[in-house]
Amino acid sequence: MARTAYNTVAENYAELVRDHFANSPVDRAVLGLFAELVDGPVAEIGCGTGLVTGHLHGLGVDVFGIDLSPGMLAVARRENPDVRFEEGSMLDLDLPDGELGGALAWYSVIHVPWDLHPAVFAEFYRVIKPGGVLMLGFHVGDIVRRLEHAYGHDILLDAYRMNPEQVLKQLVEAGFEPHLRLEREPQGQEKSPQGVLIVRKPR
């Protein structure tokens, strides 16, 4: 469902989010913090059109992107020719154990059903090295929002809002240690509070 939807909207989505960071100092700040914390290669998992991947690259992070949607990846490669992008699923990452200094899932886990989160977080834990950092960005809440028209197209896409306490509990159960939790109120067209969690794999 997510792959088909994002293949359809890739070009329109890229145009809509192009100036996001110019208008979101909080997001710039937390991504800057993440860039300071990581040591070693970083994967943005669910990178979409590569907006965040390119931003981190500009901050000097050794980063590459992974996404399920070939359409989104085509835009990401065009917009960020100096960054590597690969097709893949966060449920089965084609990466060795402990390969990454950090991983970022910026509003990508929101398309994964809640009952699959433990499997996703276990996979993130597997590919991050001891001492490495994981950051999640997500919509805060406890409902599923079904999108049937978005970015100028008729699509079918579920967006799962996430309870920060429950997500942090699942991350700890996967083996991570809490580092930072942040929530902010909705801005502009946002319909719910926004959350960020940063956790670390023990050394």
Side-chain angles (χ1 to χ4, degrees):
M1 184 186 296
R3 177 191 278 117
T4 300
Y6 278 114
N7 280 341
T8 301
V9 305
E11 294 290 346
N12 298 64
Y13 179 89
E15 286 303 316
L16 185 68
V17 303
R18 188 178 302 279
D19 297 324
H20 173 76
F21 290 119
N23 303 309
S24 187
V26 174
D27 289 353
R28 291 199 309 270
V30 295
L31 288 169
L33 172 62
F34 176 74
E36 291 283 342
L37 291 173
V38 294
D39 177 22
V42 169
E44 188 195 357
I45 302 169
C47 64
T49 58
L51 180 73
V52 174
T53 323
H55 183 78
L56 290 172
H57 177 72
L59 294 177
V61 178
D62 177 14
V63 63
F64 65 100
I66 300 171
D67 201 89
L68 198 63
S69 163
M72 298 291 263
L73 289 170
V75 175
R77 290 169 180 138
R78 184 187 71 215
E79 298 288 324
N80 304 277
D82 296 329
V83 181
R84 175 166 57 99
F85 293 95
E86 302 175 354
E87 187 174 340
S89 166
M90 65 179 66
L91 282 163
D92 185 20
L93 295 167
D94 186 18
L95 294 169
D97 295 356
E99 172 82 358
L100 303 176
L104 172 68
W106 191 252
Y107 294 87
S108 54
V109 176
I110 65 168
H111 298 305
V112 177
W114 293 311
D115 61 337
L116 292 180
H117 285 181
V120 168
F121 298 155
E123 185 68 348
F124 291 171
Y125 186 87
R126 180 185 69 79
V127 299
I128 294 173
K129 70 180 182 180
V133 176
L134 169 69
M135 182 161 82
L136 304 181
F138 52 91
H139 307 293
V140 174
D142 57 5
I143 65 169
V144 184
R145 186 169 174 231
R146 170 62 60 91
L147 302 177
E148 297 181 341
H149 187 85
Y151 313 113
H153 294 271
D154 293 327
I155 60 171
L156 195 61
L157 181 65
D158 288 337
Y160 295 80
R161 294 181 184 172
M162 295 162 59
N163 180 312
E165 292 289 348
Q166 176 65 18
V167 175
L168 188 57
K169 180 175 180 290
Q170 292 173 328
L171 289 166
V172 170
E173 289 172 351
F176 290 103
E177 296 175 342
H179 186 77
L180 176 137
R181 172 178 165 177
L182 173 69
E183 291 182 42
R184 66 166 175 81
E185 295 304 309
Q187 301 171 359
Q189 310 252 334
E190 295 170 349
K191 301 182 187 304
S192 66
Q194 310 295 299
V196 174
L197 290 170
I198 298 180
V199 293
R200 190 183 293 276
K201 184 173 180 175
R203 293 186 184 277

